[in-house]
Structures are given as structure tokens and as C-alpha cells.
Amino acid sequence: MKITFMGAGSTVFARNVLGDCMCTPALQDAEVALYDIDATRLKESERIVSAINKNTNGSRAEICCYLGQENRRAALQGADFVVNAIQVGGYEPCTVTDFEIPKKYGLRQTIGDTLGIGGIMRALRTIPVLEDFARDMENVCPDALFLNYTNPMAILSGYMQRYTGVKTVGLCHSVQTCSETLLTELGMTDKLEGRRECIAGINHMAWLLTITDKDGFDLYPEIRKRAAEKNAAGTHNDMVRFDYIRNFGYYCTESSEHNAEYNPFYIKSRYPQLIEKFNIPLDEYPTRCVKQIADWAAERDGLTQNGKTARVRSKEYASYIMEAIVTDTPYKIGGNVVNCGCIENLPAEACVEVPCLVDGNGITPCRLGRLPVQLAAMNMTNINVQLLTIEAARTKKREHIYHAAMLDPHTAAELSIDDIRSLCDELIAAHGSYMASYD
């Protein structure tokens, strides 16, 4: 069995996913191919993954490194699973550009990797790279499963699923941590064990539709009461999602700093007091990137000194999916798949996040029926942007980039159409060769 990790220079994430594989008996003999275009980061990843392999009982993985586009096909050759964690353009210059130019227009962001103008630009510079991956995979590992972890999740996974022949599932860690986070924040940890739940929607805005305790008792009435009380008591780090509960009736998967920019409600230049009221961390992603770079430098130096690293299997889905397929043992995930009727009141071509069964047959999405109409409507405001961004990537038409930005809830709430077009033009020019194909 062969596992190929694309973007292995994402060292912390490569450590987590591949470390999980090395903790899993069914995967411990795998050939592991690390691929990246950055020689330094690739070498760092090889060192830490090799240390995990050496110090994990039973792990006998064969680790090989592949540097640069000229070696990409060799990295993919014969792969059974391909994990994608690339970031095209990196923190500098592209992420910084995606934040700084919009600021000139009065448009502020928190994360900028999933929706909004930042998410649109990130998708448009990433999809051409994924197209190249897909062409190679269709030739050298046509039966491999592509596990996409790169954001914007719904746009990238949706593109791969609709316009390539590669079997693709999008994966995020927000589903498996959603209800635990909520119950912990509300002081309801006694309800964690044995709870049952159903989550569906779109990535980063999938809804906790139902949640019951081990005896089947509905927990939502108490959740709604405590969430309202906590928001009324003062600022905390999850105020936006608790406000979702108040206004839409349900909690959603991804964090409040993410969801603050997926709608027109909270980041508004006309109402700057909302930023403080809802404790919204503007420019959070650039700040986080700087910290992660510093943290990794410290961890890398520690590893260099002792050559060892401990590993406990995490909650990331990748290793569990591989294990379920290889051993034909059923496992349930929250996966990002083409809708095709899974959620009846969302478009068939949308990429939705729904419960999926994984076994020796691969990944089988579940049909959920209809979402509550207000939740489907919230999802649609994001799906509009996702589908138009995919259309821009497919047709290479700049006009569709304008359309995606015009229909983005936060961007449209802040800027005029003329400013939106100018902003898009300036970002396209600033990204240079990454965006050269868009006329």
C-alpha cells in the first residue's frame, strides 16, 4: 500500500496525518511518499516523520521524498491514497496580499481562506495546481482516493469531484469536534458520553441538526437557554455561533472567527461596535501564521537535538478512512461530497458536508432530506460564491471572478459593485503569475 502526501512541507499536518497512520496496525507497512516543491520544508518533514516511524511500536513504513514538479508523477505512481495539504503562494506573499489589499477598500477579514475575497483568490490560484495533480493521478494512480484537506474545502473538493476523474473526498476536523466544543463551553460535559448527533450542511457551515444524550433526551432546549445566557453575560470566544443559535436556532461546525466573515451581519464598517460586541479577531489568520511559524521553529530545533517524537492517534479522519477501506471495517465520517440529492433543498452540484459510510467499497454519502429552510438559505449564500468561483476556474473568465465577489455576503455588504471589480482587478494583478490565465 502506498500513501502519497502532497504538500509535505506542511510539516505539522504531515506529522499529524502520517503519524496517525503509523499508529494504525493496518497501515504500518505502507510506503509513504512525501512530495513538496520546497527542499528545506520537505527535508524537515522527512526528519520528523522518520522519527515518528522509528519510535512508534510496530511501524515499519518506507519513507521516500520527491522534490519538485519533475518528480511529482513518481511520487504519485501506484498510490492508493493521496493526501492533499498544499498552500499555493504560502503566507508570503499571497496570504498577506489577500488581507492587505482589501483593507485599502475598507474590507476586513478574520481568516480569509474559505469564503470572501481571500477564499476566492486562494481557490483560483490553487485549482490550476490541483488540475495538474488530477492529470497525473488519472495516468499513474487512477484508482487512488484523493483526501483533500486544503481550503477553501468546498470549492477545491467540488472542482475535483465535478471536473476530474479523481475519486475525491474533502475532510475537515470541525465535524468531529463540534458538539464536544459546544457542550464543554456550556458546562454540559456530563452529557458528552453516549451522545448522539446529526450534522449536515456545507464545510465550515454544517449544522448540528440534532443532539441527544445517551438516553435519547433532546439537549437543544438547554443548549439554547445556556447559549443565550452566556452571550448576555459578556464576551467570550464563540459569540458568533451562539448568536446563530439565537437567530437561526442551530449551532454550526466551524469556529466563530471563521463564521464572522461568512455573512453580512458582524463585520460592518458602519457598525464598528459589533467587532467588540462579538469579540471578532480581525486579521486572525496572518497573526496565527506568524505564531505557527515561530512555534514550528522551536519544535524543529527540539527534534534536531533528540531525534525523537511521541505520537498518539488524533481525531483527523484520514487514517480512519484508509483503515476502513483496507480492512473493510465500516466507519462513519463527515465528508465533503457532491450533493446529488443528499440534501434535497441544496443544489445537486454543490459540495456538501454530510455523514458518509466508509468501508471496502469506498465512501458512501448518506441522504439527509431537507434542511430547515433558514439553514439551507444561509448555506446558499456561501454556495453561490463557491459555484461561481468554480465556474471562473473552469472557464478562466475574469467576469465570473467579479460575480463570485459580488455575491459574497460580507464583501457585498461593505463595498459597491465598482469597488468590488476594482478590488478583484488589483488582487489579480498583485498575484501575478498565479492568476495569469484569467482574462
Side-chain angles (χ1 to χ4, degrees), residues 121-132:
M121 292 296 146
R122 179 180 284 230
L124 293 175
R125 63 179 180 263
T126 305
I127 285 175
V129 179
L130 295 190
E131 288 178 317
D132 290 341

Side-chain angles (χ1 to χ4, degrees), residues 55-126:
N55 291 284
T56 300
N57 289 336
S59 186
R60 299 169 297 276
E62 178 187 347
I63 301 168
C64 300
C65 290
Y66 299 85
L67 176 66
Q69 295 180 10
E70 66 274 16
N71 292 307
R72 189 174 62 215
R73 280 201 174 199
L76 291 166
Q77 181 74 47
D80 298 285
F81 302 99
V82 178
V83 180
N84 179 55
I86 63 172
Q87 184 179 356
V88 177
Y91 168 62
E92 289 185 311
C94 288
T95 296
V96 173
T97 297
D98 284 343
F99 274 79
E100 293 305 312
I101 290 178
K103 282 184 191 177
K104 292 165 48 179
Y105 290 80
L107 184 62
R108 303 299 301 275
Q109 300 170 93
T110 55
I111 306 295
D113 72 346
T114 298
L115 207 72
I117 197 66
I120 292 168
M121 292 296 146
R122 179 180 284 230
L124 293 175
R125 63 179 180 263
T126 305

Side-chain angles (χ1 to χ4, degrees), residues 246-261:
R246 181 174 75 93
N247 288 293
F248 297 101
Y250 298 85
Y251 191 67
C252 81
T253 47
E254 191 47 82
S255 63
S256 282
E257 62 262 27
H258 272 277
N259 271 274
E261 63 183 7

Side-chain angles (χ1 to χ4, degrees), residues 209-220:
L209 298 171
T210 61
I211 180 167
T212 61
D213 67 13
K214 59 183 173 56
D215 298 317
F217 182 78
D218 183 7
L219 295 178
Y220 248 128

Side-chain angles (χ1 to χ4, degrees), residues 385-416:
V385 182
Q386 294 161 3
L387 296 182
L388 282 163
T389 304
I390 290 173
E391 192 67 9
R394 188 183 71 86
T395 63
K396 307 302 181 186
K397 291 184 177 179
R398 185 181 294 231
E399 199 69 19
H400 288 317
I401 301 177
Y402 300 149
H403 296 156
M406 289 173 189
L407 289 171
D408 176 68
H410 174 46
T411 303
E414 292 283 76
L415 304 184
S416 70

Side-chain angles (χ1 to χ4, degrees), residues 102-290:
K103 282 184 191 177
K104 292 165 48 179
Y105 290 80
L107 184 62
R108 303 299 301 275
Q109 300 170 93
T110 55
I111 306 295
D113 72 346
T114 298
L115 207 72
I117 197 66
I120 292 168
M121 292 296 146
R122 179 180 284 230
L124 293 175
R125 63 179 180 263
T126 305
I127 285 175
V129 179
L130 295 190
E131 288 178 317
D132 290 341
F133 289 2
R135 299 293 85 80
D136 286 346
M137 289 181 66
E138 288 163 357
N139 280 282
V140 302
C141 56
D143 297 322
L145 177 63
F146 189 74
L147 293 86
N148 179 49
Y149 274 101
T150 297
N151 284 322
M153 177 62 62
I155 298 174
L156 302 183
S157 300
Y159 185 93
M160 293 288 286
Q161 290 154 353
R162 292 170 57 198
Y163 293 112
T164 77
V166 174
K167 292 185 291 186
T168 300
V169 63
L171 302 174
C172 182
H173 57 258
S174 61
V175 172
Q176 56 267 50
T177 60
C178 175
S179 63
E180 181 179 0
T181 297
L182 174 63
L183 294 177
T184 300
E185 288 178 337
L186 295 179
M188 299 173 66
T189 53
D190 60 313
K191 305 299 183 182
L192 287 171
E193 186 175 352
R195 70 192 185 282
R196 301 291 297 273
E197 63 192 42
C198 178
I199 295 175
I202 61 172
N203 180 243
H204 285 191
M205 196 189 278
W207 304 99
L208 181 63
L209 298 171
T210 61
I211 180 167
T212 61
D213 67 13
K214 59 183 173 56
D215 298 317
F217 182 78
D218 183 7
L219 295 178
Y220 248 128
E222 183 65 16
I223 287 170
R224 292 182 179 113
K225 173 177 174 291
R226 293 194 185 198
E229 291 172 349
K230 187 164 183 177
N231 265 17
T235 58
H236 57 89
N237 290 331
D238 207 7
M239 299 200 69
V240 169
R241 287 196 292 179
F242 284 12
D243 204 48
Y244 275 8
I245 296 174
R246 181 174 75 93
N247 288 293
F248 297 101
Y250 298 85
Y251 191 67
C252 81
T253 47
E254 191 47 82
S255 63
S256 282
E257 62 262 27
H258 272 277
N259 271 274
E261 63 183 7
Y262 299 163
N263 56 68
F265 307 131
Y266 302 104
I267 306 174
K268 302 174 77 70
S269 57
R270 286 188 60 196
Y271 301 97
Q273 66 272 22
L274 292 175
I275 304 299
E276 181 177 357
K277 177 180 178 180
F278 288 99
N279 196 26
I280 296 170
L282 296 174
D283 297 330
E284 169 66 14
Y285 187 66
T287 302
R288 189 178 298 176
C289 286
V290 171

